[in-house]
Amino acid sequence: EVTGWVGTCTDIHDRKRAEDAQVLILEASAVLGTSLDYRRTLAQVAQLAVPRMGDWCAVHVLDDDGSLREIAVVHADPAKLKFVLELQERYPPDPDAPVGVASVVRTGRSELIPEIADELLVANARDELHLDLIRELALRSWLCVPLTARGRTLGAITFVAAESGRRFDDADLRLAEDLAR
């Protein structure tokens, strides 16, 4: 016969999240130290980031002429990856956009959108077809951080949360900035 019951519950979410972040940084550091081919190593870092940091990851670098070039796009689902690449080909990023990858590279400041509202999609769609296509991606949260070295911005890393339903927060932003450095 049970005469009493004592129980405890300890929330270890924050500690587990910090441990996972440390492991990601350590693994990315190891990858970055393996080769001088920055394109290959940054593509490997993007591979490490999915699905740990987000549902997909893209890496852009500045070319000598000042243009942005995407050197890696990673998504766990090959069908989604193909869709994203076709969407970008049809609607290439605007280099003068006030927000997004180009803005992050221009300003050297990170951008975080914890919750992507439909109004944001409507405001940034170029036409109805574009709006329908980006809605199909089911974007939930977005963050983009500058790739920096020796005080110079060399490009940007973008993380997107979609299917997982994850929402990025300030802790994710700090981790992404650490990774980009």
Side-chain angles (χ1 to χ4, degrees), residues 12-167:
I12 62 166
H13 178 264
D14 291 340
R15 185 176 71 195
K16 180 70 173 141
R17 189 173 177 181
E19 289 171 2
D20 291 345
Q22 286 180 326
V23 169
L24 177 59
I25 294 294
L26 287 171
E27 289 178 2
S29 296
V31 165
L32 290 170
T34 62
S35 172
L36 294 177
D37 180 359
Y38 72 92
R39 288 181 180 96
R40 193 179 92 211
T41 54
L42 288 173
Q44 289 175 316
V45 169
Q47 286 282 347
L48 283 174
V50 173
R52 292 172 170 171
M53 278 288 297
D55 298 314
W56 45 309
C57 176
V59 180
H60 292 80
V61 294
L62 272 173
D63 273 339
D64 292 335
D65 65 359
S67 64
L68 275 177
R69 185 165 32 99
E70 187 173 73
I71 61 169
V73 180
V74 178
H75 193 291
D77 180 353
K80 284 273 190 174
L81 181 59
K82 183 178 179 190
F83 180 77
V84 167
L85 295 173
E86 289 174 1
L87 179 63
Q88 288 177 342
E89 188 174 314
R90 179 175 272 189
Y91 296 97
D94 178 2
D96 299 317
V99 295
V101 176
S103 173
V104 168
V105 172
R106 264 194 324 274
T107 64
R109 289 191 310 263
S110 301
E111 294 179 6
L112 166 64
I113 303 174
E115 179 77 34
I116 299 175
D118 192 61
E119 295 79 28
L120 182 64
L121 300 179
V122 170
N124 288 290
R126 297 184 189 164
D127 56 38
E128 284 300 316
L129 175 61
H130 189 217
L131 179 60
D132 290 342
L133 293 172
I134 57 177
R135 279 180 174 152
E136 201 169 313
L137 291 173
L139 307 174
R140 299 289 175 248
S141 193
W142 180 89
L143 71 88
C144 186
V145 296
L147 277 169
T148 58
R150 297 183 190 100
R152 279 187 51 222
T153 300
L154 308 172
I157 301 179
T158 304
F159 300 93
V160 178
E163 299 85 8
S164 66
R166 178 181 183 155
R167 301 294 187 269

Side-chain angles (χ1 to χ4, degrees), residues 163-175:
E163 299 85 8
S164 66
R166 178 181 183 155
R167 301 294 187 269
F168 295 128
D169 58 21
D170 289 334
D172 295 308
L173 181 62
R174 286 189 300 276
L175 173 58

